[in-house]
Amino acid sequence: MLPLRTYIAVARNYTGRAATLAGSAALTCGLFTDDFAAPTALATIAATGAGLLFATAFSLAHRFVTITARTLYVTPGAGLLAILAAERIVPGTHWAEALAVAAWTAGVWFTRPARLARSLLGREPAPAVAATAPAVVVEAHPLSRWWAERVGVEGGIAPGTRLIDPKQTGPDSLQAVIAAPEGQPVPPISLAHLSALMDVPEELISITTVPGRGAGLKRLTVGQAPTSSDPHAAWAEHIAAQVLPGTELLKVTAIDVDKELT
């Protein structure tokens, strides 16, 4: 028997499909009459707002991930309202309006932005995999899943790569390790493309080597981590964890440089 969460996800997905068809029908009617414009706009705003509240509230994901998920969630409703407004402004029925309705319907139906947003936040269970299918690595962390779906996917900016060991290093900073398939190096990754995908300034993103490891791993740093004033903590974080594993800072001696030079 499948867990309750899976049944809820299936019901939610069917509801999303039904909402897409209802929105498409309302936009199609809007090509010929204004009678349904106001109810459609109100229903869209209410459904988008309620869905956004329940889907993204109390998210523990990183701020960048949460902002991306919320943007994805409101995109279908915002697009529907924009087309609805255009139908009211443009007199009569224009072929461009019909094309916009078709594009909106196909875009929402195939890309499913709301489902992708829930996946980013870790609120969408992975689909069941048949017993005969090859083993699939399912990343547990929301940021790792986001990387797999947007960056490491075939056709992405770093196909085949995975994001492992993500950790938040400050209120607006994080670190993770980019892993390439076994025996292969991490491919060159465009910081500009990654900046656009994450909606983070390019100067706050860096990809560097992992000390003591080969080219199959690279360290991803996003944001500026706060510096620690504790030398023992700084040693454990930067030296023991990366350069000299297993070492420990036992004693720190402060030297008055001005006195030593006189």
Side-chain angles (χ1 to χ4, degrees):
M1 179 180 293
L2 295 175
L4 178 61
R5 185 185 179 194
T6 300
Y7 289 108
I8 294 175
V10 171
R12 188 167 49 203
N13 290 333
Y14 277 118
T15 302
R17 291 298 199 189
T20 301
L21 293 176
S24 179
L27 289 176
T28 302
C29 291
L31 295 173
F32 309 100
T33 177
D34 296 345
D35 295 343
F36 302 101
T40 299
L42 292 176
T44 300
I45 293 172
T48 302
L52 182 65
L53 176 64
F54 287 109
T56 65
F58 309 110
S59 171
L60 299 179
H62 193 273
R63 183 172 65 91
F64 303 131
V65 177
T66 302
I67 292 174
T68 302
R70 288 173 177 168
T71 302
L72 285 170
Y73 209 94
V74 302
T75 297
L80 189 148
L81 292 175
I83 297 174
L84 198 65
E87 290 177 342
R88 306 285 67 77
I89 296 174
V90 178
T93 302
H94 195 275
W95 64 268
E97 297 174 341
L99 182 61
V101 173
W104 180 90
T105 304
V108 175
W109 185 269
F110 290 108
T111 62
R112 309 187 72 177
R115 186 182 185 186
L116 179 57
R118 292 192 299 270
S119 297
L120 286 178
L121 299 174
R123 298 181 177 181
E124 185 75 18
V129 180
T132 56
V136 176
V137 178
V138 179
E139 301 290 355
H141 196 281
L143 188 58
S144 298
R145 284 198 296 273
W146 175 86
W147 183 279
E149 294 171 355
R150 302 294 299 277
V151 180
V153 70
E154 188 68 29
I157 61 175
T161 60
R162 296 185 297 123
L163 198 66
I164 60 177
D165 194 27
K167 58 184 178 181
Q168 191 159 346
T169 56
D172 296 312
S173 61
L174 62 88
Q175 274 192 352
V177 174
I178 305 171
E182 185 176 359
Q184 299 183 26
V186 174
I189 300 176
S190 167
L191 294 185
H193 283 86
L194 193 58
S195 169
L197 277 176
M198 302 186 75
D199 193 21
V200 177
E202 186 176 348
E203 60 268 18
L204 294 182
I205 304 175
S206 65
I207 298 177
T208 57
T209 59
V210 177
R213 301 301 300 270
L217 298 176
K218 290 292 181 69
R219 185 176 303 281
L220 170 68
T221 303
V222 180
Q224 184 66 43
T227 56
S228 174
S229 58
D230 182 1
H232 296 275
W235 181 280
E237 179 180 356
H238 300 290
I239 305 301
Q242 302 177 19
V243 182
L244 300 173
T247 60
E248 180 182 357
L249 186 64
L250 298 178
K251 182 179 180 181
V252 177
T253 302
I255 300 176
D256 189 337
V257 178
D258 293 334
K259 183 177 180 182
E260 291 292 327
L261 294 178
T262 56

